[in-house]
Amino acid sequence: MHDKSKFDVAIVGGGLAGICAAIELLDQGLKIAIIDRDSESNFGGLAMKSLGGMTLVNTPVQRLNGIHDSPEIALRDWHACAHFAETDHWPRQWAELYVNRSVDDIYNWLKPRGIRFFPIPHWVERGEYGDGNSLPRYHIIWGTGQHLMLTLINELKHHANSSNIEYLFDHKVEHILTTNQKISGLQGRFEKTGLAFEIEAPVVLVASGGINGDIDRVKREWDKSWGKPPQHLLNGAHKFADGTLHDAVAKIDGKVTHLHHMWNYAAGIHHPQPGIPKEGLSLIPPKSALWLDATGKRFGPHPLVTGFDTHLICKRIAQDPYGYSWQVLNWKIALKEIAVSGAESNTAFRDRRIMQLARDIFLGNHKLLEYLVNECEDVVTADSLEELVGKMNELNSASQTVGKGTVDLENVKQAIQRYDAQIDLGKEFHNDDQLRRIAQVRQWRGDRSRTCKFAKIMEKKSLPLVAFREFIVSRKSMGGIQTDLESRVLANNGQAIPGLYAAGEAAGFGGGGSNGLKSLEGTFISNCILNARMATRSIGGQPLNP
Ligand SMILES: Cc1cc2nc3c(=O)[nH]c(=O)nc-3n(C[C@H](O)[C@H](O)[C@H](O)COP(=O)(O)OP(=O)(O)OC[C@H]3O[C@@H](n4cnc5c(N)ncnc54)[C@H](O)[C@@H]3O)c2cc1C
């Protein structure tokens, strides 16, 4: 039996990046430890909760759907989103690596492990003006991120070299140790007792997630060009994603970059059973709902419609004086279009129940809608507009710290009447950007089944009306610890720090910000795998030279 505090490699973080690396390091016969601040019951990190959507380029699934994708097209799309600066050398390199290796290093790594994807790729983040995914390439894991993580954890536990791994849960790592300018281990405290511990290891892989679970830090790092952050932000990230390891890396001269680049979502509602303070559920906002500001005016002149540019929607809402929004729709629209991001609410996907999925798509997801209406404080319903607006305002006055605006009935009435009147004119005469976008979205079969065909809000047979009060929900850090293509952490002078690696959200998904300003979406869990694999090849002395 090896010394319990001495390892070849110490991995900080038992999320997807850490677990993926652990599997590959066990393959190499190394003695390793996964050290995680969380308890064993939460092993797997955020990916366990994730929907399991991955941007993949030129896959068999795409080809079966007649989609002719290529690394060149994907890279062009990536750059259109990323807005890289000239100086973003490593983020650019990681973007290129990703589009070239997504099939070999991600899709083909998952396939023998029995991971399958929904047969139709979704078309997300098309870009407000085409500056996004020019093709559908968002592949959702059949079973969501939960199935992925249970599969990988099972592999880890039953690995032929499983006696070479130690799991140290409830251990908060605080410092990276160096001796004679070489990495020599880790230091931290037991989460429950506060007592100190130390671990010896010549190689450390930081896979401790991002910073977006610390709302105060999110506010501090907020993109200055956006102005002040909204007063009320919800938390949709990991409770321990507070950047402790980012700081530890910076303390030994590792470079941390682009922390103001974040992938947050605009339609967060308070979780009815929060596991962490201000926990938010992130709605996938219905495209046929009207998106209104805090006073009930429709956002304009370009209306907000999801599926094109998440970053822009967040920016517009964050810059609104009230910093939150409303979506108004009716029951029928909600049944067809409402969804919540993640494994928790997508039970048909998560539990791989095809009949339930078909029922949800064709008859509507009654269970989810009823849950949201009955359990969530930010959802109100009513049979008339007057009653609805009354309830929206009641909700605001009942909240202590949030929802300071007053919804004006006339504003809401005007917005709905104008929109419904457009629909009444018939599609030949539609001259509303939301309707134009809905028409376009419905052309792709992956979206048609989840998008109503020009649905009026005040349609009598579709009542009651529903309103969601929505806040920005903090989710992913797109900046982080800067790494080269071997996932080696770079010092401020650009040289790799021998023995120190970073992967996943901690590394800004590669290079300290491989997505740049905006993501094509689904570039997170997939990059955890790619980052981890590049690290383990390097640790094993066989770096891939792309
Ligand atoms: C609801 C939801 C849905 C999502 N859906 C998608 C999706 O469809 N597609 C996609 O690409 N991405 C998605 N994501 C994002 C994705 O899940 C994460 O970006 C990814 O899983 C991060 O993995 P990671 O291994 O880098 O970090 P994490 O999963 O955050 O794991 C980090 C681990 O490090 C531990 N840790 C932190 N600090 C310390 C410390 N000081 N000492 C010791 N341990 C520490 C934590 O306890 C944690 O276990 C989703 C996220 C959520 C929450």
Side-chain angles (χ1 to χ4, degrees), residues 70-82 99 131-132 134 520:
S70 71
E72 292 73 30
I73 302 172
L75 189 60
R76 194 186 60 210
D77 294 350
W78 193 297
H79 277 270
C81 270
V99 297
D131 48 343
S134 56
L520 288 171

Side-chain angles (χ1 to χ4, degrees), residues 463-476:
L463 298 180
L465 294 165
V466 184
F468 291 94
R469 185 177 62 172
E470 297 172 347
F471 301 89
I472 305 275
V473 56
S474 164
R475 182 73 104 216
K476 295 148 196 162

Side-chain angles (χ1 to χ4, degrees), residues 12-19 35-39 42-55 138 140 149 168 171-174 197 207-210 236-245 265 282 341-344 475-477 503-507 509 521-528:
V12 189
L16 175 54
I19 288 174
I35 304 116
D36 200 299
R37 187 176 169 188
D38 217 336
S39 55
N42 292 328
F43 191 33
L46 285 181
M48 192 71 100
K49 293 179 163 189
S50 76
L51 183 60
M54 293 189 179
T55 279
Y138 186 73
I140 302 179
M149 295 317 291
L168 303 173
H171 283 56
K172 180 186 180 188
V173 175
E174 291 173 329
F197 70 84
S208 51
H238 198 287
K239 63 179 170 185
F240 295 141
D242 61 2
T244 299
L245 265 295
Y265 291 100
S282 177
S341 166
E344 184 185 354
R475 182 73 104 216
K476 295 148 196 162
S477 307
E505 201 160 335
F509 304 100
E521 189 60 288
T523 53
F524 310 107
I525 50 173
S526 44
N527 248 321
C528 288

